[in-house]
Amino acid sequence: MLLKEYRICMPLTVDEYKIGQLYMISKHSHEQSDRGEGVEVVQNEPFEDPHHGNGQFTEKRVYLNSKLPSWARAVVPKIFYVTEKAWNYYPYTITEYTCSFLPKFSIHIETKYEDNKGSNNSIFDNEAKDLEREVCFIDIACDEIPERYYKESEDPKHFKSEKTGRGQLREGWRDSHQPIMCSYKLVTVKFEVWGLQTRVEQFVHKVVRDILLIGHRQAFAWVDEWYDMTMDEVREFERATQEATNKKIGVFPPAISISSMPLLPSSVRSAPSSAPSTPLSTDAPEFLSLPKDRPRKKSAPETLTLPDPEKKATLNLPVTHSSDKPCRPKSE
């Protein structure tokens, strides 16, 4: 198990980000989906937890075989997906990822949001006080993202919001910008396979970090699209986008109902207990690299030499007796 705490600051308030997060997730999922590939929404409904209160439960299946790097496609079956289950009790959420192909692989993310610049060093102490973890700050303006995901219109160094006047963030912006909030994510990655565990868990954290960076950049770059929305409006946008996304990838489940669903009793489905929160590179980990050319064995000769017929006399041929006459064709 590898545990890391990520802190991502945003030039928003916690209340503003509640709308922006829902909008960003829906739009991003729709953009990244295509026929047979993408995010299928299985469930999205109100949920009540005895400890955290009212929230929203979402279950998704992420089909992404063609999105994988070539080295991964070679070992992963075509029909495979990642299941995402999320319990949203904003400003506290729990998200779990499991894989249909790797039963011993999982990601557990616990998230909390606060109006500060990432300065709360004990925000997860009650849940993970005995677990050692590395704290990683993610800067949406200055950290590099994979080149294939870069868009100038989504670069906080260049983007300036017309509705809020915020933007064109410069290095050190977190020390002086107002408003500012922080998304604290405690991410636990497990891959319980002997000999591969450490390398795979490190690789997954690298992937998760890039995903967090890209998603939060988009949430801010799209602020003028969602800033004036109410919660009811963003939920309707979420519902319509989810239905369109399911059709886009070729899935036609029953219509998704969000606001009209009654609250489910906690005994029907219990949320996971509180636990840790969640990094994209296509480079193959070392353990999956192609083997080097092996030296050729010398147990056999490199070439085979046939005897020269003209030198028969020098060979130890068997003696032919006079009685062993060759067969000849009859004369006409």
Side-chain angles (χ1 to χ4, degrees):
M1 180 180 77
L2 184 57
L3 176 64
K4 291 188 179 184
E5 180 183 325
Y6 297 92
R7 302 182 187 181
I8 312 104
C9 290
M10 298 284 285
L12 304 167
T13 67
V14 169
D15 288 339
E16 291 170 344
Y17 185 71
K18 185 177 184 179
I19 302 291
Q21 179 195 38
L22 295 174
Y23 182 91
M24 176 270 293
I25 291 174
S26 295
K27 181 176 177 178
H28 179 84
S29 296
H30 186 72
E31 285 188 349
Q32 296 299 313
S33 298
D34 202 352
R35 191 80 184 170
E37 296 280 346
V39 182
E40 172 198 357
V41 180
V42 180
Q43 287 181 281
N44 189 352
E45 58 195 37
F47 179 77
E48 184 177 1
D49 181 84
H51 179 67
H52 302 294
N54 295 337
Q56 194 81 9
F57 170 77
T58 307
E59 181 177 349
K60 301 176 182 178
R61 289 181 178 179
V62 186
Y63 299 89
L64 38 60
N65 188 276
S66 69
K67 309 291 183 183
L68 298 175
S70 57
W71 58 264
R73 291 198 298 271
V75 297
V76 173
K78 290 184 178 181
I79 304 176
F80 117 100
Y81 57 85
V82 173
T83 298
E84 175 194 288
K85 293 184 179 181
W87 293 261
N88 187 346
Y89 312 103
Y90 200 87
Y92 170 71
T93 64
I94 299 171
T95 310
E96 292 182 343
Y97 295 90
T98 54
C99 181
S100 62
F101 176 61
L102 299 171
K104 294 188 178 183
F105 169 77
S106 66
I107 303 174
H108 188 107
I109 308 171
E110 183 179 3
T111 307
K112 292 186 177 182
Y113 307 94
E114 286 189 349
D115 285 312
N116 56 50
K117 58 182 181 180
S119 53
N120 189 346
N121 294 321
S122 58
I123 191 169
F124 291 115
D125 274 7
N126 292 334
E127 295 83 0
K129 60 183 178 180
D130 297 327
L131 300 176
E132 294 185 4
R133 58 187 182 273
E134 177 185 355
V135 176
C136 306
F137 282 86
I138 296 178
D139 190 328
I140 65 169
C142 300
D143 287 358
E144 293 185 1
I145 67 171
E147 185 177 355
R148 64 187 179 282
Y149 296 109
Y150 179 82
K151 294 181 181 179
E152 186 173 348
S153 61
E154 297 175 359
D155 189 339
K157 293 194 298 294
H158 301 293
F159 169 76
K160 187 174 181 66
S161 168
E162 294 181 0
K163 292 185 178 180
T164 66
R166 305 169 200 170
Q168 295 185 323
L169 305 178
R170 299 294 181 243
E171 189 169 355
W173 67 273
R174 292 178 298 177
D175 296 327
S176 57
H177 195 283
Q178 289 296 331
I180 191 169
M181 61 151 288
C182 184
S183 173
Y184 295 83
K185 291 185 174 289
L186 196 59
V187 183
T188 304
V189 177
K190 291 183 180 180
F191 185 68
E192 299 173 338
V193 176
W194 187 86
L196 300 178
Q197 181 172 1
T198 300
R199 294 173 183 175
V200 170
E201 289 176 353
Q202 290 175 343
F203 175 73
V204 171
H205 267 289
K206 183 180 179 182
V207 171
V208 170
R209 187 187 185 282
D210 285 345
I211 292 174
L212 292 176
L213 175 58
I214 293 166
H216 284 77
R217 284 164 64 101
Q218 290 177 329
F220 175 58
W222 296 340
V223 62
D224 289 343
E225 300 176 27
W226 59 259
Y227 189 73
D228 295 327
M229 283 185 170
T230 64
M231 179 55 69
D232 288 341
E233 289 172 338
V234 78
R235 284 296 185 190
E236 174 58 27
F237 172 82
E238 182 183 46
R239 183 198 64 77
T241 305
Q242 288 170 357
E243 288 185 352
T245 302
N246 282 359
K247 292 179 180 179
K248 189 177 180 182
I249 65 174
V251 178
F252 302 93
I256 301 168
S257 176
I258 296 176
S259 58
S260 61
M261 289 288 291
L263 293 177
L264 298 178
S266 58
S267 59
V268 175
R269 181 178 57 254
S270 59
S273 58
S274 299
S277 262
T278 245
L280 239 164
S281 169
T282 58
D283 295 330
E286 183 182 347
F287 70 90
L288 286 176
S289 59
L290 294 175
K292 297 180 180 179
D293 292 335
R294 296 176 180 175
R296 185 170 179 173
K297 293 183 178 180
K298 300 297 183 180
S299 57
E302 295 291 334
T303 59
L304 179 61
T305 303
L306 298 177
D308 188 341
E310 296 180 357
K311 297 181 179 180
K312 275 173 56 174
T314 62
L315 299 177
N316 296 323
L317 297 176
V319 177
T320 301
H321 299 285
S322 58
S323 60
D324 296 330
K325 298 180 180 180
C327 296
R328 295 182 181 179
K330 296 179 180 180
S331 59
E332 295 293 334

